[in-house]
Amino acid sequence: MAENTIASRLLDVIENDILPLTTQGVAQGNKVFGAAILRKSDLSLVLAETNNELENPLWHGEVHALKRFYELGEKPATRDLIFLSTHEPCTMCMSAITWAGFDNFYSFFSHEDSRDAFAIPHDLKILKEVFRLEPGGYRRNNAFWNSFFIADLVETENEPLKSGLLAQTARIKAAYNALSSTYQSSKDDNAIPLN
């Protein structure tokens, strides 16, 4: 049985819970960004969501996940939860995660990946134009939260787990690359303001 470290669990949630939702969302014309919320205590999934900008341009994957989270009847306190983002959150999403009271977030792809690999440069452009920050210029660890890249966690794992997680990482990246191609080929047909 595979070891259930935080890195392995987060990759599993991306691959098995977020990616299927994102595949459906991209087929409708939404972007490739998704998010999930897990319990710190046992890493169980509270919910997973994906981008829904066609409904509302504010429904980035993270904000849409928070919307759905606050629609739950009973929900755990955010201090007891992990926030998972497939892509490093934009400034709006970081603010929403902060305002919701999460003390952490974990990302799979970086802002630079969003710009370079996914041809969605808006996060870095907003950081630069509005906040005068260079890529990575915000404080990843601050009074509100600590942020982590899943790739850094994978690098700390021991073999043979690390090799398995690297293979899973490659699989996830390939799936997102395919979704990105689909999105890019259809984005001119949607009404998302910053596509």
Side-chain angles (χ1 to χ4, degrees), residues 127-166:
L127 273 173
K128 179 77 171 174
E129 292 295 321
V130 177
F131 298 100
R132 297 184 183 197
L133 294 173
E134 295 299 326
Y138 70 92
R139 292 181 58 209
R140 285 187 163 84
N141 300 295
N142 56 63
F144 298 103
W145 39 255
N146 293 306
S147 65
F148 309 91
F149 283 108
I150 297 169
D152 294 338
L153 299 176
V154 168
E155 287 301 318
T156 67
E157 299 292 359
N158 295 319
E159 293 295 351
L161 179 60
K162 181 177 176 179
S163 291
L165 296 179
L166 289 172

Side-chain angles (χ1 to χ4, degrees), residues 35-52:
I37 298 171
L38 296 87
R39 288 176 181 81
K40 287 180 183 176
S41 61
D42 60 3
L43 303 180
S44 61
L45 183 66
V46 175
L47 65 83
E49 260 308 332
T50 194
N51 183 290
N52 194 10

Side-chain angles (χ1 to χ4, degrees), residues 35-106:
I37 298 171
L38 296 87
R39 288 176 181 81
K40 287 180 183 176
S41 61
D42 60 3
L43 303 180
S44 61
L45 183 66
V46 175
L47 65 83
E49 260 308 332
T50 194
N51 183 290
N52 194 10
E53 286 181 271
L54 289 175
E55 181 181 323
N56 181 329
L58 300 181
W59 294 160
H60 291 196
E62 299 90 338
V63 173
H64 199 232
L66 289 169
K67 174 191 181 295
R68 296 282 193 234
F69 176 73
Y70 280 98
E71 291 172 347
L72 295 175
E74 275 192 45
K75 58 194 151 301
T78 53
R79 71 179 171 274
D80 298 326
L81 300 171
I82 291 170
F83 198 95
L84 170 60
S85 182
T86 58
H87 296 69
E88 187 174 9
C90 72
T91 51
M92 177 183 72
C93 293
M94 273 190 244
S95 294
I97 292 165
T98 305
W99 280 105
F102 285 85
D103 64 5
N104 69 84
F105 66 82
Y106 292 79

